[in-house]
């Protein structure tokens, strides 16, 4: 019996799969069976492999060919078992040397002509193989991706013939060369593209510095989407660990396109018609959803009230834990989901509330109904609420004042983040209760000031903590140890939507 290695992922967890191939005699014509809790894509392997063998002018001997994928209690899905099964058969008929092939983890889909085509999860498979002292055989296109895991024993053929020739010694395949991670992933947008909007830019800087979730409210065309998409450009560069984490999720989702890793922070803009599964992840193969693809980056929800309420409620748990648990029929899969939430909305359905020239006759009742579509608990988790007014087009044309670049803003963000990590080990957005008492202590004078403001504004205990968290970040951006009156006053200006300029509950 031939026994080769492949791999399958459940969430981020790898399971080694033993691909066993057994030829047994006693039949007059060949028979081919795949067993071991295989799904349809895996069962279809048999058909693809038969075609490849005839394309290679190889025919199966008139024997019973059984392929068993072990352990049998783990569901096998996907087409990446084509290659290990084919290799097993080629070993069984003496075309490939089993003693060599068994030193590798093998994955790849095979086309009818023998071409080895792209598959999911090559990056984490490479990490796993490296950690277990095994080489990796993967599709040619993904060799560089596999190299990024720090692995050097990689064979990345584009065609089965290349693989056979490699082990025959007639055409040795080189180890894929490492390219620079930046390739093709440079930021092409910059904060300096945005004219005016000083208040919104300042709020984005605070959001980036303290990791705070943010909601922008304003009329159509004010530049909310434009501003949000530039947030990743002012966030600190990803660390090597973050790059690997995020790239791993993309690899599992089959979204690691190109040859580089995800070296820029992800920005995931989710449409309001998205389903809960698209947002959280799931489906038959427990794919990561948008919140996991936004891990270490930004999750942008444009037109927030248009989202289905049940879809939005999904965000509550991962916003606190930084992970999402996807429940499936037989097993659960967990993915990281530490994202920064940025949401945008118009104040009312027509978007022109408060604009005497353009708002409709149903204001403010329609605005109230519109704003009430977002649940209180979700709003409570958003620290920064910002009103974004439109810049007048003629002001944009005549605006010649130099605008700060993302790099300049990022330098301040990085300094403020460093202070937080040194002081408490995590970003200010995660400060709560007792932590705030310790790390965001207020003088007696400031406590009195905040208490009075809280009473006047009818602030909840949660809202009170929100102000302290924001004031802490604002002080960190000043490089200051203690929170001062100016920090507190600015924090108070980021009032929740229903109490801000566009609020209808004032
Ligand atoms: N402050 C600005 N500086 C430069 N361009 C701007 C600015 N505001 C708006 N624009 C231009 O207007 C376009 C529309 O802006 P954007 O899509 O960000 O608006 P929005 O607030 O998201 O609108 P909506 O509520 O309809 O989604 C931008 O792509 C940009 O070209
Ligand atoms: Mg928009």
């Amino acid at each position: 019996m031939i026994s080769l290695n492949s791999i399958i992922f459940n969430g981020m967890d790898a399971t080694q799969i033993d691909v066993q191939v057994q030829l047994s005699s006693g039949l007059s014509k060949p028979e081919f069976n795949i067993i071991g809790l295989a799904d349809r894509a895996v069962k279809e392997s048999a058909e693809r492999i038969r075609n490849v063998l005839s394309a290679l002018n190889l025919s199966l001997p008139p024997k019973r060919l059984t392929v068993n994928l072990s352990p049998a209690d783990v569901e096998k899905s996907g087409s990446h078992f084509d290659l290990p099964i084919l290799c097993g058969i080629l070993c069984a008929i003496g075309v490939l040397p089993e003693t060599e092939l068994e030193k590798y983890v093998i994955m790849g889909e095979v086309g009818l002509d023998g071409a080895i085509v792209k598959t999911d999860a090559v990056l984490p498979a490479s990490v796993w193989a490296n950690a277990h002292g095994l080489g990796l055989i993967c599709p040619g296109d993904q060799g560089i991706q596999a190299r990024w895991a720090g692995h050097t024993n990689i064979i990345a053929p584009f065609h089965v013939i290349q693989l056979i020739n490699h082990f025959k010694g007639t055409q040795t395949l080189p180890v894929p060369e490492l390219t620079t991670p930046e390739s093709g992933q440079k930021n092409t947008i910059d904060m300096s593209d945005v004219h005016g909007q000083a208040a919104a830019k300042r709020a984005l800087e605070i959001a980036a510095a303290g990791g705070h979730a943010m909601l922008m409210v304003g009329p159509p065309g004010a530049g909310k989407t434009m501003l949000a998409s530039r947030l990743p450009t002012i966030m600190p560069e990803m660390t090597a660990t973050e790059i690997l984490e995020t790239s791993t999720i993309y690899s599992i989702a089959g979204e690691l396109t190109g040859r580089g890793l995800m070296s820029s922070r992800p920005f995931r803009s989710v449409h309001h018609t998205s389903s809960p599964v698209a947002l959280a992840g799931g489906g038959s193969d427990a794919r990561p959803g948008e919140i996991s693809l936004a891990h270490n980056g930004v999750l942008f929800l444009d037109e927030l009230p248009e989202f289905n309420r049940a879809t939005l409620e999904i965000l509550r748990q991962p916003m606190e834990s930084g992970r999402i648990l996807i429940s499936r029929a037989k097993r659960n899969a967990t993915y990281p989901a530490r994202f920064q939430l940025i949401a945008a909305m118009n104040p009312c359905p027509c978007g022109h509330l408060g604009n005497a020239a353009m708002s409709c006759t149903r204001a403010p009742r329609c605005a109230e109904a519109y704003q009430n579509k977002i649940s209180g608990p979700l709003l409570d988790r958003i620290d920064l609420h910002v009103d974004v007014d439109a810049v007048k087009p003629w002001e944009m044309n005549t605006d010649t004042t130099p605008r700060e670049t993302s790099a300049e803003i990022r330098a301040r963000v990085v300094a403020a983040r460093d202070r937080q990590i040194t002081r408490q080990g995590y970003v200010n957005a995660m400060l709560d209760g007792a932590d705030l008492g310790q790390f965001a202590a207020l003088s007696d004078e400031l406590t009195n000031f905040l208490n009075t403001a809280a009473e006047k504004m009818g602030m909840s205990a949660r809202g009170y903590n929100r102000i302290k968290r924001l004031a802490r970040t604002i002080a960190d951006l000043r490089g200051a140890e203690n929170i001062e009156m100016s920090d507190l006053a600015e924090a108070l200006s980021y009032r929740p939507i229903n109490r801000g300029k566009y609020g209808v509950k004032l």
Side-chain angles (χ1 to χ4, degrees), residues 85-359:
I85 294 173
L86 177 61
C87 287
I89 295 170
L90 292 175
C91 288
I93 60 177
V95 175
L96 284 173
E98 187 199 358
T99 47
E100 284 301 315
L101 273 287
E102 67 187 11
K103 296 178 195 157
Y104 291 85
V105 169
I106 309 170
M107 62 194 309
E109 183 183 324
V110 180
L112 296 185
D113 57 351
I116 302 173
V117 288
K118 277 179 31 171
T119 183
D120 300 343
V122 167
L123 177 66
S126 181
V127 173
W128 189 92
N130 200 15
H132 290 78
L134 292 166
L136 178 77
I137 300 177
C138 71
D141 265 339
Q142 292 170 298
I144 293 169
Q145 217 184 87
R147 256 309 252 123
W148 272 108
H151 205 354
T152 49
N153 185 8
I154 293 161
I155 302 174
F158 290 89
H159 198 280
V160 179
I161 301 268
Q162 283 182 321
L163 188 67
I164 296 172
N165 288 344
H166 177 85
F167 283 104
K168 266 193 193 156
T170 52
Q171 181 207 15
T172 308
L173 287 165
V175 175
E177 252 176 69
L178 214 51
T179 50
T180 46
E182 279 78 25
S183 58
Q185 295 210 30
K186 277 261 170 277
N187 282 326
T188 50
I189 52 173
D190 196 277
M191 206 51 103
S192 60
D193 303 336
V194 184
H195 292 253
Q197 300 297 19
K201 284 184 183 174
R202 166 74 179 163
L204 275 174
E205 182 174 333
I206 297 170
H212 304 282
M214 172 167 157
L215 171 64
M216 288 185 275
V217 190
K224 300 182 294 296
T225 306
M226 194 182 181
L227 283 158
S229 60
R230 281 156 180 78
L231 179 60
T233 69
I234 62 167
M235 289 167 76
E237 302 257 8
M238 287 213 278
T239 61
T241 317
E242 286 177 330
I243 291 178
L244 200 59
E245 269 174 13
T246 303
S247 303
T248 297
I249 299 169
Y250 275 68
S251 181
I252 289 174
E255 287 213 20
L256 201 56
T257 49
R259 301 192 147 190
L261 295 185
M262 279 296 296
S263 56
S264 313
R265 287 197 186 272
F267 177 83
R268 303 294 300 192
S269 180
V270 183
H271 195 257
H272 57 77
T273 54
S274 293
S275 66
V277 167
L279 194 66
S284 61
D285 47 358
R287 293 211 153 220
E290 289 293 337
I291 60 171
S292 295
L293 292 166
H295 180 63
N296 289 323
V298 175
L299 180 75
F300 179 50
L301 305 183
D302 212 350
E303 324 297 354
L304 193 64
E306 305 286 349
F307 278 81
N308 182 320
R309 208 171 165 127
T311 309
L312 288 182
E313 292 306 287
I314 288 170
L315 299 172
R316 285 166 55 178
Q317 182 252 331
M319 274 178 84
E320 263 154 36
S321 65
R323 313 186 68 74
I324 179 87
L325 177 76
I326 303 169
S327 299
R328 300 168 65 206
K330 294 200 176 95
R331 261 165 312 140
N332 298 326
T334 308
Y335 288 106
R338 192 166 296 290
F339 55 86
Q340 182 151 3
L341 175 70
I342 303 293
M345 63 183 279
N346 298 133
C348 60
C350 76
H352 297 289
L353 183 78
N355 179 338
M358 295 179 82
S359 65

Side-chain angles (χ1 to χ4, degrees), residues 217-503:
V217 190
K224 300 182 294 296
T225 306
M226 194 182 181
L227 283 158
S229 60
R230 281 156 180 78
L231 179 60
T233 69
I234 62 167
M235 289 167 76
E237 302 257 8
M238 287 213 278
T239 61
T241 317
E242 286 177 330
I243 291 178
L244 200 59
E245 269 174 13
T246 303
S247 303
T248 297
I249 299 169
Y250 275 68
S251 181
I252 289 174
E255 287 213 20
L256 201 56
T257 49
R259 301 192 147 190
L261 295 185
M262 279 296 296
S263 56
S264 313
R265 287 197 186 272
F267 177 83
R268 303 294 300 192
S269 180
V270 183
H271 195 257
H272 57 77
T273 54
S274 293
S275 66
V277 167
L279 194 66
S284 61
D285 47 358
R287 293 211 153 220
E290 289 293 337
I291 60 171
S292 295
L293 292 166
H295 180 63
N296 289 323
V298 175
L299 180 75
F300 179 50
L301 305 183
D302 212 350
E303 324 297 354
L304 193 64
E306 305 286 349
F307 278 81
N308 182 320
R309 208 171 165 127
T311 309
L312 288 182
E313 292 306 287
I314 288 170
L315 299 172
R316 285 166 55 178
Q317 182 252 331
M319 274 178 84
E320 263 154 36
S321 65
R323 313 186 68 74
I324 179 87
L325 177 76
I326 303 169
S327 299
R328 300 168 65 206
K330 294 200 176 95
R331 261 165 312 140
N332 298 326
T334 308
Y335 288 106
R338 192 166 296 290
F339 55 86
Q340 182 151 3
L341 175 70
I342 303 293
M345 63 183 279
N346 298 133
C348 60
C350 76
H352 297 289
L353 183 78
N355 179 338
M358 295 179 82
S359 65
C360 68
T361 51
R362 284 181 297 138
R365 264 173 300 123
C366 63
E368 190 170 349
Y370 195 61
Q371 294 178 14
N372 278 340
K373 282 182 167 181
I374 313 165
S375 81
L378 180 65
L379 279 181
D380 262 348
R381 282 168 174 75
I382 301 178
D383 282 346
L384 267 161
H385 297 246
V386 192
D387 298 329
V388 182
D389 294 317
V391 173
K392 309 269 180 298
W394 53 91
E395 283 172 7
M396 232 160 67
N397 291 337
T398 54
D399 175 23
T400 51
T401 45
R403 293 184 294 277
E404 267 192 317
T405 63
S406 292
E408 290 169 279
I409 304 171
R410 176 186 266 162
R412 294 195 296 268
V413 168
V414 169
R417 273 224 182 178
D418 286 347
R419 293 184 63 84
Q420 300 165 45
I421 305 301
T422 315
R423 183 179 57 232
Q424 73 241 7
Y426 46 86
V427 289
N428 289 342
M430 290 162 76
L431 287 173
D432 219 342
D435 296 344
L436 281 166
Q438 187 181 351
F439 301 117
L442 300 179
S443 66
D444 290 347
E445 184 203 358
L446 291 187
T447 307
N448 287 338
F449 173 77
L450 183 56
N451 288 346
T452 315
E455 201 181 332
K456 274 198 188 141
M457 293 167 138
M459 210 184 275
S460 67
R462 240 189 179 159
Y464 194 88
N465 283 347
R466 193 173 71 78
I467 299 296
K468 283 176 119 184
R469 268 197 298 273
L470 279 182
R472 179 64 270 173
T473 302
I474 296 167
D476 284 330
L477 276 168
R478 281 195 301 117
E481 187 102 357
N482 295 321
I483 297 172
E484 285 178 9
M485 183 61 89
S486 60
D487 306 320
L488 211 49
E490 185 177 351
L492 280 166
S493 72
Y494 301 111
R495 304 218 281 163
I497 148 107
N498 48 13
R499 298 180 183 277
K501 174 181 168 191
Y502 295 111

